[in-house]
Amino acid sequence: MPKPFLPVPNSTLPFWLTDRSPLDQIRSTPDLPLESDIIIIGAGYAGISLAYHLLTSDPSSSSEAPTITILEARSICSGATGRNGGHVRPDTYSLIPLYINRYGLDAAREVAEFELSHIKAIQDVIRTEAIDDCDFLLTQNMNVFLDQERGNATKEAIEALRKTGCGFVDDIFQIPDRDAESISGVKGAKTAFSFTAGSIWPYKFIMGLLRSILKHGGDRVNIQTTTPVTSVTSDGSIWHTIATPRGTVKAKKVVYTTNAYTFGLLPEYEPAIIPAKGMVAHIVSPTDGKGKRPPFLSQTYILRPDSSDGADYMIVRPDGSIIIGGAHQIHTFPEKGPEGNSEWYGNIDDASLIESTKDYFEGYMQRYFVGWEDTGAVVEGLWTGIMGYSADSAPHIGAIPSRPTQFIAAGFNGHGMPVIFLSTKGLAQMILHDKSFDDTDLPRIYKSSAERLDAIKRGREGGDILQSVTVSSSE
């Protein structure tokens, strides 16, 4: 019996979806179109940004603008993007040493610089398309270590990157250890440093891109929500047949922006992109005078409470409330590793909370932040989301091996905000202009290939539990 692979109904309600757009459950036409040049499966960050780039790409080398159909199982941005931590945080140190060991310095540098470039790219598109309601803030991300040994190891890794000439670490400001607690505001902080990052209302950002898609695309774009795709078949002609409970659509090209749910439609990716369930909280302080006014926090945070691989991620909303997620470090993985914890690993149920984690965020601000002890800050909302963790720590972008005219953008490790927008820009060039992956500006390690899938499969069969699934994210 095949595994269930479609998003579940009655999912938990994230803060980001409490202010819904009129386009939330858009259906451009009452019925599905009979055919389309390009079908995109999934209307989250990857699917919507891809459609945006397909419509706004330089048309000079494309003979005729394509027709595009977007099929979404639930509502727009109802998956991981609408359930994340609202963090736009480039990674310039965490996985970079791993990438250097696996792929070499140049490949690792490509990833760091690519992620950093998202800050300006997102600022630019927000300005160009007048997405004024998405609360984008350019700020600093404060990284705080409560375990001295782990903090020291990270400082050494950053210094090693600096010595190799990696200019991207110049943005990292190291706080003297003696001042780590006073400057970060985190009790017991042993080491801290900061770098440029941003925060955003992800759902409203995606909805802004969607409005632009409708403006640029006109009747060339057809969007169908609550229309899950159950299969994609090809008969050897130029057409693929996409099946849904509402009927079928034929397409010349198919793009899977299905992230954690990819395994159901592309079984060859089951070992490569693993569903991983995360939990996020919305914390508020009383406004009725019953609690002390909390200290103002102007930065986003990554807080690493102990010596494990886990971390908590946090942003401060313009209204002073807190969005915080993580807590994977409190999971007890049996000898089998993360794979043995079905509450988190391989779980696509975002309709229920993670029982072992649901109380973790109660009293969090009082526990960790100086001056919050008497604020009365409480958890106002909890929700779950399903991330697509890549087994080898890098997303899968590009043409799908052995499936002509089919493409993928998935496996973002809960870290899609500083990765997806420009990844789908490169993918649009491949789809529109028949560019090869190597002729785009995408980091080389993002390329999805038969060799990469085979290596992942061999590693999994050999019992290799990959590093990325032990790192808490969903920023």
Side-chain angles (χ1 to χ4, degrees), residues 3 125 183 297 303 423 462:
K3 293 181 182 178
V125 74
I183 292 178
L297 300 175
L303 181 60
S423 290

Side-chain angles (χ1 to χ4, degrees), residues 43 65 69 94 208 247 254 269 279 293 322 335 363:
T69 298
S94 180
V254 182
Y269 280 86
M279 197 149 78
R293 185 180 180 87
I322 305 294
E335 289 183 6

Side-chain angles (χ1 to χ4, degrees), residues 284-427:
V284 300
S285 298
T287 57
D288 56 5
K290 293 182 179 178
K292 177 184 172 184
R293 185 180 180 87
F296 176 70
L297 300 175
S298 61
Q299 304 172 99
T300 69
Y301 282 82
I302 293 290
L303 181 60
R304 304 178 191 274
D306 55 32
S307 61
S308 71
D309 286 335
D312 300 330
Y313 47 90
M314 180 183 120
I315 71 165
V316 183
R317 296 265 309 118
D319 63 7
S321 66
I322 305 294
I323 303 290
I324 186 166
H328 282 169
Q329 65 269 17
I330 72 168
H331 289 286
T332 301
F333 294 138
E335 289 183 6
K336 196 175 181 182
E339 208 166 12
N341 191 329
S342 60
E343 209 180 13
W344 172 62
Y345 184 94
N347 190 338
I348 61 168
D349 175 19
D350 58 13
S352 62
L353 301 178
I354 300 175
E355 287 298 315
S356 61
T357 307
K358 68 179 184 179
D359 296 328
Y360 177 76
F361 298 110
E362 287 292 353
Y364 188 95
M365 300 305 294
Q366 293 92 326
R367 193 159 65 244
Y368 287 116
F369 283 83
V370 175
W372 283 74
E373 295 82 359
D374 301 318
T375 60
V378 295
V379 173
E380 185 172 76
L382 282 170
W383 62 90
T384 51
I386 310 302
M387 299 168 281
Y389 270 26
S390 169
D392 61 4
S393 307
H396 287 262
I397 311 292
I400 297 175
S402 303
R403 291 182 184 252
T405 61
Q406 298 191 51
F407 303 84
I408 188 170
F412 295 105
N413 296 298
H415 185 65
M417 293 308 295
V419 173
I420 290 173
F421 189 72
L422 294 178
S423 290
T424 54
K425 184 176 183 179
L427 182 60

Side-chain angles (χ1 to χ4, degrees), residues 110 119 136 141 198 257 261 272 277 346 354 432 444 456 464:
E110 288 174 0
I119 297 292
F136 180 76
N141 177 236
T257 58
Y261 304 92
K277 184 173 177 176
I354 300 175
L432 285 177
R444 69 191 76 172
I456 290 168
D464 179 18

Side-chain angles (χ1 to χ4, degrees), residues 65-398:
T67 56
I68 301 168
T69 298
I70 304 175
L71 303 176
E72 165 57 44
R74 297 191 293 204
S75 56
I76 302 293
C77 197
S78 59
T81 309
R83 299 170 177 278
N84 69 21
H87 218 172
V88 185
R89 187 189 73 94
D91 177 15
T92 55
Y93 75 89
S94 180
L95 286 176
I96 301 305
L98 174 69
Y99 293 151
I100 291 174
N101 290 336
R102 287 183 179 174
Y103 311 111
L105 179 61
D106 289 344
R109 183 186 284 116
E110 288 174 0
V111 173
E113 292 174 351
F114 183 75
E115 291 198 18
L116 280 167
S117 67
H118 275 75
I119 297 292
K120 183 177 186 302
I122 290 174
Q123 282 183 292
D124 287 348
V125 74
I126 288 172
R127 186 181 302 113
T128 299
E129 303 298 343
I131 310 174
D132 301 323
D133 62 347
C134 71
D135 290 350
F136 180 76
L137 296 174
L138 184 63
T139 182
Q140 290 282 301
N141 177 236
M142 181 67 70
N143 294 249
V144 182
F145 294 78
L146 273 65
D147 179 81
Q148 187 69 66
E149 185 175 345
R150 190 178 179 192
N152 289 343
T154 302
K155 285 192 291 184
E156 291 171 5
I158 292 171
E159 188 56 32
L161 290 172
R162 198 183 307 279
K163 288 179 179 178
T164 61
C166 291
F168 55 81
V169 298
D170 291 343
D171 186 51
I172 299 175
F173 173 66
Q174 173 68 52
I175 295 167
D177 285 357
R178 66 178 182 276
D179 300 324
E181 180 174 307
S182 60
I183 292 178
S184 71
V186 175
K187 300 175 185 177
K190 300 295 191 296
T191 294
F193 53 87
S194 64
F195 53 83
T196 305
S199 62
I200 200 168
W201 189 310
Y203 173 81
K204 291 188 176 182
F205 173 58
I206 300 307
M207 283 301 175
L209 289 179
L210 178 57
R211 291 192 298 269
S212 298
I213 288 169
L214 298 175
K215 177 182 70 176
H216 293 297
D219 59 7
R220 290 184 290 123
V221 176
N222 192 306
I223 303 169
Q224 298 287 330
T225 58
T226 58
T227 306
V229 172
T230 55
S231 69
V232 178
T233 55
S234 305
D235 59 7
S237 70
I238 65 169
W239 295 102
H240 307 284
T241 300
I242 294 84
T244 82
R246 298 176 55 218
T248 61
V249 190
K250 290 189 176 296
K252 294 177 182 177
K253 296 180 179 180
V254 182
V255 191
Y256 301 80
T257 58
T258 41
N259 207 28
Y261 304 92
T262 299
F263 70 92
L265 297 174
L266 297 173
E268 63 267 42
Y269 280 86
E270 184 169 4
I273 301 175
I274 304 143
K277 184 173 177 176
M279 197 149 78
V280 186
H282 181 215
I283 295 176
V284 300
S285 298
T287 57
D288 56 5
K290 293 182 179 178
K292 177 184 172 184
R293 185 180 180 87
F296 176 70
L297 300 175
S298 61
Q299 304 172 99
T300 69
Y301 282 82
I302 293 290
L303 181 60
R304 304 178 191 274
D306 55 32
S307 61
S308 71
D309 286 335
D312 300 330
Y313 47 90
M314 180 183 120
I315 71 165
V316 183
R317 296 265 309 118
D319 63 7
S321 66
I322 305 294
I323 303 290
I324 186 166
H328 282 169
Q329 65 269 17
I330 72 168
H331 289 286
T332 301
F333 294 138
E335 289 183 6
K336 196 175 181 182
E339 208 166 12
N341 191 329
S342 60
E343 209 180 13
W344 172 62
Y345 184 94
N347 190 338
I348 61 168
D349 175 19
D350 58 13
S352 62
L353 301 178
I354 300 175
E355 287 298 315
S356 61
T357 307
K358 68 179 184 179
D359 296 328
Y360 177 76
F361 298 110
E362 287 292 353
Y364 188 95
M365 300 305 294
Q366 293 92 326
R367 193 159 65 244
Y368 287 116
F369 283 83
V370 175
W372 283 74
E373 295 82 359
D374 301 318
T375 60
V378 295
V379 173
E380 185 172 76
L382 282 170
W383 62 90
T384 51
I386 310 302
M387 299 168 281
Y389 270 26
S390 169
D392 61 4
S393 307
H396 287 262
I397 311 292

